[in-house]
Structure formats: C-alpha cells, structure tokens
Amino acid sequence: MSNTYDNLGDNHADDDVEAGPAAPLTLPLDQWHRTRGGRMVDFAGYWMPVQFEGIIAEHLWSRENAGFFDVSHMGQLYVSGEGVEAALEAALPIDLSTLPLGGARYSLLLNDEGGILDDLMVTRWGTGFHLVVNGATKWDDIATLRERLPDEITLNHLEDSALFALQGPKAFEALEPLVTGEYPLSALTFMRGGQFKLGGVDAWISRSGYTGEDGFEISVPAENAAELADLICAEPQVKPIALGARDSLRLEAGLPLYGHDMTETVDPVSADLLFGINKRRRSEGGFPGADVILPLIASGAQTRRVGLAIEGRMAAREGAKVLSGDTEVGTVTSGGFSPSLERPIAMAYVATDFTAPGTSLSIDVRGRKLAASVVPMPFVPHRYHRKGAA
C-alpha cells in the first residue's frame, strides 16, 4: 500500500481525537474487529479500526458492492417530553413541523456567534426525536443540549445501542433478506427510517449514510452487536470497512468532516451547509447564532467551501495554503488521493472571488506548487435512493 493511503487513514484518525478519558474506550465490536485483522487506532477517544485489508481495496469494494461500517462511536440521543418539538426548534435551526414520522433531517448545532459546534441527524421516532451526533463532540453536544432544553424535556443518551452503516450499490440486496417488519425494506427511501427486526432483534433502520452511496444506518442493542455484524457480513456482497476508506469515500462524496471542514469558528454560509437550516428558520430566525447567520445569508460570506481537482499524483493535506498566483486565497481542510477517480482531490475554504468552477489556483505543498482548479462537488456523483427514483 502506498504512503498516500497510509497517511490518509492515520492523519484523520489521529487528528480527530478529542480531550477525554486518559485511555481509549472500547466499543461493542472491539474484539470483532481485532479478530478480523483490523488495525486499531485511537479515534474520538475509542479504539477503532483504520483498515482491514487496505484502504484502496475497502474503498473500491464499497463503491461496487456493500461495505459494513461500525459507527458506534457516534452519539445516539433520544429527546422527548411535552413540547419537545418547540424546544428542539429553539435549540437547532430545524423545521420539525414538516418532518413526518420516520423522516430524518440533517441539521446543525450552532453557537451564539454562528459557528458550528456539530452537525447531526434528527429523526422523528414515536413521540420524540432520535439524534445522531459526532463521536468526538458528543459529550459537549449533550451538555449544550441539556443547557438549552427546558427541564420538562428529557434527553436520554442511548449508551446501550450500537450503530452500523451498510453502504454501497448492493447494500439493499444484502440487507433485504435479513429483515422483517410491518412493511418491506423497499418502502424506505433516502432519509426515511422505520422499526424492523434484524435477525429477530429490534433494529431501527434508516436509508442514509456518509459515503454518497445508497445504504442504511442501523441502530441495534449493543448486546446483540457481534451476532448482527456476523449476520450482515455473512452476505457475499458485504465486507467490513474501516475508518480510512470511510474518510476517502466521504471526501469523494463532498461531505464535510467535523473538526476539519467544520469548526466552531466556521459559519454555515461559508461551509455551504445552508440546507442544514430549513427555509422557514432562515426567514423566522429564533435559533442560536441567527443574528449573525441571517445577515450573512443576505450579504454572502467572505469565504466558501469548494472542491479542488489537483493535477498530478501528489495529494494536498489539511492546512495547505491555496494560492492565486503568489497571493494566499484559502486553506485546504480535507485532501487525499481519490481511488475512484485515480487523482488527488481536496476541499478548501477559498475567498469568494475565486470560487467559480473552473478557476485556476495552486496549492503550496511543502514549497511545491500543485496546479488545481475549482470543481463542483460531489467529486463522485451521489447514488442515494430518492423517492420516485427507478
């Protein structure tokens, strides 16, 4: 394996570790990963596999078949109580009035200055809402939400649940024979979920994910995690996939990573994440940071997150300067070699005057200028199973 891919996995795994316990914690599938040869690293305060058979092979398998990802480090929360919808709308820039039962929606946790504390998924479950937050920020997220939510609202951290993702064009083919429910798995479209039995065990399954492919996220009891992982990975379309390929897949899909492409000093307008602030909320405000963000929506931000296609074979990493001529106009926040495109790609924040597709720029990598151009994202087309799709 080339150093390009070794660095991709190692850099992102190490960089994401947040202050927490002195030693990494273990997840329900810790021994399961080790038995299958997973190379374990400290990621977000947990031992997690960075690769199994190799990042390139795992990446391409996920694009062509179905990859099984253990994402149990993510925080799963359940928020409920009288007035929960209004309470969450005061804490997040989300419109819950249009979110149906089983519907999922992307949103943002913002500070009063309009910076992004985290990005998250919100799903209407029964009489409350299921939230999935990033592993490295979940303890701070829980503290922030508990501070913002009124006393009559209950926030439960679902520590006894594991979370899997099954991603790729053959994910449905692999999962469908394993589940039963009141309706077939085929009833789920992108960003919809429901309650099923997986191998006879209760599972909440939503059709979503972080690779740009069709796929599912699956919440199950932690005590059943190993047996259900075995069940899914026994399907011939499925192989376990680790952090390194997860990172290269999400980069190709143009999806930002918290702590790199989003931070508490970056606003949603610059980050090109306004879809995380629903239309009604952009009009009405009433959420943390609205006084800063709404004027930015009207006037525009000074920088914007863009995709960069890089000439040659050398990858640009986080922190590299983006130049127009000899003038610094931006900074790379994520970069690596794309296994699907067989070329280096990157995401960067660039001054708005230089963000038009086709704009020629360069990237300073250890004193060497790499020719680059602004390109639309995603780099690899999304293949989500949307409502009405064939």
Side-chain angles (χ1 to χ4, degrees), residues 24-65:
L25 302 173
T26 58
L27 294 168
L29 290 185
D30 184 79
Q31 189 55 51
W32 191 93
H33 295 310
R34 295 176 189 274
T35 300
R36 284 154 185 77
R39 180 155 71 87
M40 308 298 280
V41 298
D42 182 350
F43 180 88
Y46 294 92
W47 285 119
M48 293 187 69
V50 69
Q51 65 180 54
F52 291 97
E53 61 181 289
I55 294 172
I56 301 174
E58 293 171 35
H59 179 113
L60 294 176
W61 180 271
S62 301
R63 286 277 181 247
E64 297 164 5
N65 298 282

Side-chain angles (χ1 to χ4, degrees), residues 11-27:
N11 283 351
H12 287 280
D14 293 341
D15 288 351
D16 272 82
V17 176
E18 296 286 321
L25 302 173
T26 58
L27 294 168

Side-chain angles (χ1 to χ4, degrees), residues 219-238:
S219 179
V220 299
E223 63 183 5
N224 301 110
E227 66 181 90
L228 295 177
D230 282 341
L231 179 71
I232 295 170
C233 289
E235 295 299 304
Q237 307 92 334
V238 182

Side-chain angles (χ1 to χ4, degrees), residues 12 16 43 63 69 71 73-74 106 119 121 134 165-168 190-191 207-217 243 245-262 305 334 347 382 384:
H12 287 280
D16 272 82
F43 180 88
R63 286 277 181 247
F69 300 79
V71 288
H73 66 298
M74 306 284 278
Y106 177 88
D119 63 335
M121 295 288 288
N134 281 296
L166 187 66
Q167 298 285 295
F190 182 58
M191 300 295 273
R207 203 157 191 170
S208 58
Y210 194 47
T211 63
E213 297 290 339
D214 182 26
F216 302 87
E217 292 202 339
L243 290 171
R246 182 174 182 261
D247 190 63
S248 56
L249 289 160
R250 70 91 193 170
L251 178 58
E252 288 185 348
L255 299 175
L257 175 64
Y258 193 82
H260 300 265
D261 313 293
M262 298 173 284
R305 180 173 62 94
S334 287
M347 285 193 282
H382 293 165
Y384 302 131

Side-chain angles (χ1 to χ4, degrees), residues 53 56 59 62 72 75 77 83 140 231 241 248 288 292 325 331 333 359 376 388:
E53 61 181 289
I56 301 174
H59 179 113
S62 301
S72 299
L77 316 176
D140 288 339
L231 179 71
I241 310 297
S248 56
V292 176
T331 305
T333 52
T359 302

Side-chain angles (χ1 to χ4, degrees), residues 159-171:
E159 295 183 88
D160 294 331
S161 295
L163 189 65
F164 306 148
L166 187 66
Q167 298 285 295
K170 297 184 180 178

